[in-house]
mmCIF file of all heavy atoms in Angstrom:
data_model
loop_
_atom_site.group_PDB
_atom_site.id
_atom_site.type_symbol
_atom_site.label_atom_id
_atom_site.label_comp_id
_atom_site.label_asym_id
_atom_site.label_seq_id
_atom_site.Cartn_x
_atom_site.Cartn_y
_atom_site.Cartn_z
ATOM 1 N N ALA P 1 -124.718 -74.677 63.213
ATOM 2 C CA ALA P 1 -123.420 -74.332 62.474
ATOM 3 C C ALA P 1 -122.198 -74.695 63.281
ATOM 4 O O ALA P 1 -121.222 -75.177 62.671
ATOM 5 C CB ALA P 1 -123.362 -72.800 62.254
ATOM 6 N N GLY P 2 -122.362 -74.733 64.529
ATOM 7 C CA GLY P 2 -121.208 -75.088 65.477
ATOM 8 C C GLY P 2 -120.909 -76.567 65.516
ATOM 9 O O GLY P 2 -119.824 -77.001 66.005
ATOM 10 N N THR P 3 -121.841 -77.353 64.963
ATOM 11 C CA THR P 3 -121.641 -78.899 64.961
ATOM 12 C C THR P 3 -120.986 -79.268 63.629
ATOM 13 O O THR P 3 -120.750 -80.527 63.525
ATOM 14 C CB THR P 3 -122.927 -79.591 65.067
ATOM 15 O OG1 THR P 3 -123.805 -79.420 63.954
ATOM 16 C CG2 THR P 3 -123.745 -79.173 66.369
ATOM 17 N N LEU P 4 -120.716 -78.369 62.641
ATOM 18 C CA LEU P 4 -120.195 -78.832 61.365
ATOM 19 C C LEU P 4 -118.727 -78.819 61.241
ATOM 20 O O LEU P 4 -117.995 -78.044 61.813
ATOM 21 C CB LEU P 4 -120.807 -77.812 60.297
ATOM 22 C CG LEU P 4 -122.365 -77.953 60.151
ATOM 23 C CD1 LEU P 4 -122.769 -76.880 59.054
ATOM 24 C CD2 LEU P 4 -122.831 -79.318 59.831
ATOM 25 N N LYS P 5 -118.255 -79.976 60.595
ATOM 26 C CA LYS P 5 -116.746 -80.104 60.449
ATOM 27 C C LYS P 5 -116.290 -79.218 59.280
ATOM 28 O O LYS P 5 -117.091 -78.738 58.518
ATOM 29 C CB LYS P 5 -116.470 -81.538 60.070
ATOM 30 C CG LYS P 5 -116.927 -82.581 61.048
ATOM 31 C CD LYS P 5 -116.760 -83.924 60.398
ATOM 32 C CE LYS P 5 -117.331 -85.029 61.315
ATOM 33 N NZ LYS P 5 -117.218 -86.328 60.721
ATOM 34 N N ALA P 6 -114.978 -79.046 59.318
ATOM 35 C CA ALA P 6 -114.438 -78.277 58.180
ATOM 36 C C ALA P 6 -114.713 -78.981 56.851
ATOM 37 O O ALA P 6 -114.705 -80.227 56.867
ATOM 38 C CB ALA P 6 -112.970 -78.156 58.299
ATOM 39 N N GLY P 7 -115.126 -78.217 55.870
ATOM 40 C CA GLY P 7 -115.483 -78.830 54.489
ATOM 41 C C GLY P 7 -116.999 -79.071 54.427
ATOM 42 O O GLY P 7 -117.402 -79.625 53.443
ATOM 43 N N SER P 8 -117.829 -78.665 55.335
ATOM 44 C CA SER P 8 -119.202 -78.880 55.406
ATOM 45 C C SER P 8 -120.066 -77.897 54.654
ATOM 46 O O SER P 8 -119.610 -76.698 54.610
ATOM 47 C CB SER P 8 -119.738 -78.929 56.858
ATOM 48 O OG SER P 8 -119.084 -79.924 57.580
ATOM 49 N N TRP P 9 -121.167 -78.296 54.245
ATOM 50 C CA TRP P 9 -122.261 -77.380 53.681
ATOM 51 C C TRP P 9 -123.392 -77.300 54.719
ATOM 52 O O TRP P 9 -123.769 -78.304 55.298
ATOM 53 C CB TRP P 9 -122.799 -77.908 52.428
ATOM 54 C CG TRP P 9 -121.933 -77.704 51.227
ATOM 55 C CD1 TRP P 9 -121.082 -78.531 50.634
ATOM 56 C CD2 TRP P 9 -121.859 -76.441 50.576
ATOM 57 N NE1 TRP P 9 -120.418 -77.932 49.626
ATOM 58 C CE2 TRP P 9 -120.827 -76.680 49.506
ATOM 59 C CE3 TRP P 9 -122.394 -75.189 50.638
ATOM 60 C CZ2 TRP P 9 -120.508 -75.668 48.573
ATOM 61 C CZ3 TRP P 9 -122.059 -74.234 49.684
ATOM 62 C CH2 TRP P 9 -121.077 -74.459 48.697
ATOM 63 N N LEU P 10 -123.784 -76.050 55.065
ATOM 64 C CA LEU P 10 -124.995 -75.909 55.780
ATOM 65 C C LEU P 10 -125.957 -75.295 54.820
ATOM 66 O O LEU P 10 -125.815 -74.266 54.208
ATOM 67 C CB LEU P 10 -124.709 -74.802 56.867
ATOM 68 C CG LEU P 10 -125.940 -74.327 57.685
ATOM 69 C CD1 LEU P 10 -126.767 -75.575 58.365
ATOM 70 C CD2 LEU P 10 -125.466 -73.497 58.908
ATOM 71 N N VAL P 11 -127.022 -76.050 54.621
ATOM 72 C CA VAL P 11 -128.126 -75.659 53.655
ATOM 73 C C VAL P 11 -129.309 -75.044 54.404
ATOM 74 O O VAL P 11 -129.890 -75.742 55.237
ATOM 75 C CB VAL P 11 -128.567 -76.895 52.753
ATOM 76 C CG1 VAL P 11 -129.729 -76.535 51.874
ATOM 77 C CG2 VAL P 11 -127.279 -77.518 51.991
ATOM 78 N N LEU P 12 -129.604 -73.825 54.069
ATOM 79 C CA LEU P 12 -130.761 -73.147 54.752
ATOM 80 C C LEU P 12 -131.912 -73.147 53.727
ATOM 81 O O LEU P 12 -131.810 -72.594 52.652
ATOM 82 C CB LEU P 12 -130.391 -71.703 55.113
ATOM 83 C CG LEU P 12 -131.512 -70.888 55.662
ATOM 84 C CD1 LEU P 12 -132.078 -71.372 56.994
ATOM 85 C CD2 LEU P 12 -131.008 -69.441 55.748
ATOM 86 N N LEU P 13 -133.031 -73.825 54.162
ATOM 87 C CA LEU P 13 -134.331 -73.768 53.357
ATOM 88 C C LEU P 13 -135.079 -72.537 53.767
ATOM 89 O O LEU P 13 -135.446 -72.466 54.907
ATOM 90 C CB LEU P 13 -135.085 -75.074 53.478
ATOM 91 C CG LEU P 13 -134.315 -76.356 53.233
ATOM 92 C CD1 LEU P 13 -135.262 -77.598 53.357
ATOM 93 C CD2 LEU P 13 -133.558 -76.319 51.943
ATOM 94 N N ALA P 14 -135.436 -71.782 52.749
ATOM 95 C CA ALA P 14 -136.053 -70.504 53.100
ATOM 96 C C ALA P 14 -137.298 -70.376 52.163
ATOM 97 O O ALA P 14 -137.345 -70.889 51.005
ATOM 98 C CB ALA P 14 -135.218 -69.260 52.873
ATOM 99 N N PRO P 15 -138.267 -69.541 52.522
ATOM 100 C CA PRO P 15 -139.505 -69.308 51.701
ATOM 101 C C PRO P 15 -139.097 -68.530 50.488
ATOM 102 O O PRO P 15 -137.853 -68.063 50.446
ATOM 103 C CB PRO P 15 -140.340 -68.468 52.506
ATOM 104 C CG PRO P 15 -139.863 -68.634 53.928
ATOM 105 C CD PRO P 15 -138.485 -68.948 53.933
ATOM 106 N N PRO P 16 -139.914 -68.369 49.482
ATOM 107 C CA PRO P 16 -139.495 -67.551 48.348
ATOM 108 C C PRO P 16 -139.005 -66.214 48.766
ATOM 109 O O PRO P 16 -139.544 -65.552 49.690
ATOM 110 C CB PRO P 16 -140.799 -67.343 47.544
ATOM 111 C CG PRO P 16 -141.664 -68.603 47.866
ATOM 112 C CD PRO P 16 -141.250 -68.914 49.383
ATOM 113 N N TRP P 17 -137.846 -65.834 48.161
ATOM 114 C CA TRP P 17 -137.054 -64.662 48.646
ATOM 115 C C TRP P 17 -137.896 -63.392 48.709
ATOM 116 O O TRP P 17 -137.902 -62.726 49.774
ATOM 117 C CB TRP P 17 -136.010 -64.415 47.569
ATOM 118 C CG TRP P 17 -134.888 -63.452 48.045
ATOM 119 C CD1 TRP P 17 -134.727 -62.190 47.863
ATOM 120 C CD2 TRP P 17 -133.804 -63.849 48.898
ATOM 121 N NE1 TRP P 17 -133.667 -61.649 48.413
ATOM 122 C CE2 TRP P 17 -133.010 -62.636 49.038
ATOM 123 C CE3 TRP P 17 -133.353 -65.035 49.452
ATOM 124 C CZ2 TRP P 17 -131.795 -62.712 49.775
ATOM 125 C CZ3 TRP P 17 -132.209 -65.032 50.276
ATOM 126 C CH2 TRP P 17 -131.431 -63.819 50.338
ATOM 127 N N GLU P 18 -138.720 -62.987 47.705
ATOM 128 C CA GLU P 18 -139.464 -61.721 47.834
ATOM 129 C C GLU P 18 -140.601 -61.743 48.791
ATOM 130 O O GLU P 18 -140.951 -60.740 49.360
ATOM 131 C CB GLU P 18 -140.080 -61.408 46.465
ATOM 132 C CG GLU P 18 -138.954 -61.200 45.338
ATOM 133 C CD GLU P 18 -137.960 -60.112 45.692
ATOM 134 O OE1 GLU P 18 -138.300 -59.113 46.335
ATOM 135 O OE2 GLU P 18 -136.772 -60.274 45.306
ATOM 136 N N ALA P 19 -141.131 -63.000 49.112
ATOM 137 C CA ALA P 19 -142.222 -63.082 50.121
ATOM 138 C C ALA P 19 -141.714 -63.357 51.531
ATOM 139 O O ALA P 19 -142.477 -63.248 52.564
ATOM 140 C CB ALA P 19 -143.143 -64.196 49.641
ATOM 141 N N TRP P 20 -140.527 -63.721 51.745
ATOM 142 C CA TRP P 20 -140.001 -64.076 53.024
ATOM 143 C C TRP P 20 -140.274 -63.094 54.101
ATOM 144 O O TRP P 20 -140.584 -63.454 55.223
ATOM 145 C CB TRP P 20 -138.536 -64.471 52.925
ATOM 146 C CG TRP P 20 -137.909 -65.193 54.124
ATOM 147 C CD1 TRP P 20 -138.641 -65.632 55.145
ATOM 148 C CD2 TRP P 20 -136.489 -65.553 54.263
ATOM 149 N NE1 TRP P 20 -137.723 -66.319 56.004
ATOM 150 C CE2 TRP P 20 -136.434 -66.302 55.469
ATOM 151 C CE3 TRP P 20 -135.428 -65.397 53.468
ATOM 152 C CZ2 TRP P 20 -135.212 -66.749 55.971
ATOM 153 C CZ3 TRP P 20 -134.220 -65.866 53.970
ATOM 154 C CH2 TRP P 20 -134.066 -66.596 55.201
ATOM 155 N N THR P 21 -140.086 -61.875 53.791
ATOM 156 C CA THR P 21 -140.254 -60.752 54.738
ATOM 157 C C THR P 21 -141.612 -60.695 55.260
ATOM 158 O O THR P 21 -141.896 -60.114 56.377
ATOM 159 C CB THR P 21 -139.739 -59.418 54.303
ATOM 160 O OG1 THR P 21 -140.464 -59.030 53.181
ATOM 161 C CG2 THR P 21 -138.207 -59.396 54.042
ATOM 162 N N THR P 22 -142.646 -61.067 54.513
ATOM 163 C CA THR P 22 -144.029 -60.955 54.872
ATOM 164 C C THR P 22 -144.599 -62.228 55.479
ATOM 165 O O THR P 22 -145.722 -62.188 56.025
ATOM 166 C CB THR P 22 -144.839 -60.593 53.639
ATOM 167 O OG1 THR P 22 -144.785 -61.694 52.667
ATOM 168 C CG2 THR P 22 -144.352 -59.308 53.004
ATOM 169 N N ARG P 23 -143.908 -63.290 55.453
ATOM 170 C CA ARG P 23 -144.349 -64.488 56.026
ATOM 171 C C ARG P 23 -144.360 -64.434 57.535
ATOM 172 O O ARG P 23 -143.444 -63.960 58.121
ATOM 173 C CB ARG P 23 -143.510 -65.692 55.598
ATOM 174 C CG ARG P 23 -143.460 -65.902 54.088
ATOM 175 C CD ARG P 23 -144.547 -66.671 53.495
ATOM 176 N NE ARG P 23 -144.617 -68.096 53.681
ATOM 177 C CZ ARG P 23 -144.009 -69.021 52.999
ATOM 178 N NH1 ARG P 23 -143.303 -68.673 51.970
ATOM 179 N NH2 ARG P 23 -144.357 -70.261 53.228
ATOM 180 N N VAL P 24 -145.339 -65.084 58.151
ATOM 181 C CA VAL P 24 -145.285 -65.174 59.659
ATOM 182 C C VAL P 24 -144.190 -66.188 60.096
ATOM 183 O O VAL P 24 -143.973 -67.164 59.306
ATOM 184 C CB VAL P 24 -146.672 -65.563 60.320
ATOM 185 C CG1 VAL P 24 -147.684 -64.585 60.086
ATOM 186 C CG2 VAL P 24 -147.031 -66.971 59.777
ATOM 187 N N ASP P 25 -143.538 -65.919 61.157
ATOM 188 C CA ASP P 25 -142.460 -66.690 61.644
ATOM 189 C C ASP P 25 -142.932 -67.522 62.849
ATOM 190 O O ASP P 25 -143.260 -67.029 63.874
ATOM 191 C CB ASP P 25 -141.292 -65.850 62.106
ATOM 192 C CG ASP P 25 -140.033 -66.581 62.457
ATOM 193 O OD1 ASP P 25 -140.090 -67.807 62.889
ATOM 194 O OD2 ASP P 25 -138.940 -66.062 62.352
ATOM 195 N N ASN P 26 -143.228 -68.886 62.654
ATOM 196 C CA ASN P 26 -143.796 -69.619 63.707
ATOM 197 C C ASN P 26 -142.834 -69.674 64.971
ATOM 198 O O ASN P 26 -143.323 -69.931 66.111
ATOM 199 C CB ASN P 26 -144.087 -71.050 63.216
ATOM 200 C CG ASN P 26 -145.234 -71.163 62.287
ATOM 201 O OD1 ASN P 26 -146.180 -70.234 62.423
ATOM 202 N ND2 ASN P 26 -145.234 -72.046 61.363
ATOM 203 N N ASP P 27 -141.510 -69.339 64.740
ATOM 204 C CA ASP P 27 -140.621 -69.338 65.976
ATOM 205 C C ASP P 27 -140.839 -68.081 66.907
ATOM 206 O O ASP P 27 -140.474 -68.061 68.011
ATOM 207 C CB ASP P 27 -139.213 -69.387 65.485
ATOM 208 C CG ASP P 27 -138.196 -69.490 66.639
ATOM 209 O OD1 ASP P 27 -138.396 -70.447 67.492
ATOM 210 O OD2 ASP P 27 -137.399 -68.584 66.818
ATOM 211 N N SER P 28 -141.598 -67.066 66.278
ATOM 212 C CA SER P 28 -141.678 -65.785 66.990
ATOM 213 C C SER P 28 -142.527 -65.983 68.281
ATOM 214 O O SER P 28 -142.409 -65.228 69.226
ATOM 215 C CB SER P 28 -142.429 -64.766 66.107
ATOM 216 O OG SER P 28 -143.705 -65.232 65.759
ATOM 217 N N CYS P 29 -143.388 -67.001 68.362
ATOM 218 C CA CYS P 29 -144.079 -67.273 69.594
ATOM 219 C C CYS P 29 -143.188 -67.657 70.739
ATOM 220 O O CYS P 29 -143.626 -67.406 71.890
ATOM 221 C CB CYS P 29 -145.146 -68.348 69.335
ATOM 222 S SG CYS P 29 -146.443 -68.095 68.236
ATOM 223 N N ARG P 30 -142.032 -68.176 70.474
ATOM 224 C CA ARG P 30 -141.107 -68.479 71.516
ATOM 225 C C ARG P 30 -140.566 -67.222 72.246
ATOM 226 O O ARG P 30 -140.215 -67.269 73.418
ATOM 227 C CB ARG P 30 -139.965 -69.199 70.893
ATOM 228 C CG ARG P 30 -138.931 -69.768 71.778
ATOM 229 C CD ARG P 30 -137.918 -70.700 71.056
ATOM 230 N NE ARG P 30 -137.260 -70.016 69.980
ATOM 231 C CZ ARG P 30 -136.199 -69.167 70.137
ATOM 232 N NH1 ARG P 30 -135.647 -68.931 71.315
ATOM 233 N NH2 ARG P 30 -135.662 -68.576 69.062
ATOM 234 N N TRP P 31 -140.502 -66.046 71.502
ATOM 235 C CA TRP P 31 -139.810 -64.901 72.175
ATOM 236 C C TRP P 31 -140.619 -63.632 72.159
ATOM 237 O O TRP P 31 -140.305 -62.674 72.766
ATOM 238 C CB TRP P 31 -138.459 -64.637 71.437
ATOM 239 C CG TRP P 31 -138.586 -64.518 69.937
ATOM 240 C CD1 TRP P 31 -138.199 -65.582 69.129
ATOM 241 C CD2 TRP P 31 -138.997 -63.429 69.200
ATOM 242 N NE1 TRP P 31 -138.445 -65.215 67.832
ATOM 243 C CE2 TRP P 31 -138.895 -63.899 67.801
ATOM 244 C CE3 TRP P 31 -139.365 -62.076 69.447
ATOM 245 C CZ2 TRP P 31 -139.240 -63.110 66.737
ATOM 246 C CZ3 TRP P 31 -139.746 -61.324 68.433
ATOM 247 C CH2 TRP P 31 -139.677 -61.781 67.106
ATOM 248 N N SER P 32 -141.823 -63.605 71.419
ATOM 249 C CA SER P 32 -142.578 -62.342 71.334
ATOM 250 C C SER P 32 -143.665 -62.374 72.418
ATOM 251 O O SER P 32 -143.995 -63.366 72.974
ATOM 252 C CB SER P 32 -143.151 -62.161 69.953
ATOM 253 O OG SER P 32 -144.232 -63.083 69.738
#
């Protein structure tokens, strides 16, 4: 987000909304 110029779009691709909270987060291995 800090690399974006004024007028930019940041598009976040996410799992299906209702299932997102139950999906495993592969990034969690980095900090858990």
Side-chain angles (χ1 to χ4, degrees):
T3 68
L4 297 178
K5 300 175 187 175
S8 298
W9 280 100
L10 175 52
V11 179
L12 174 65
L13 306 185
W17 195 261
E18 299 303 325
W20 193 6
T21 58
T22 63
R23 301 274 291 270
V24 294
D25 185 334
N26 289 329
D27 184 60
S28 65
C29 291
R30 185 175 55 84
W31 51 262
S32 77

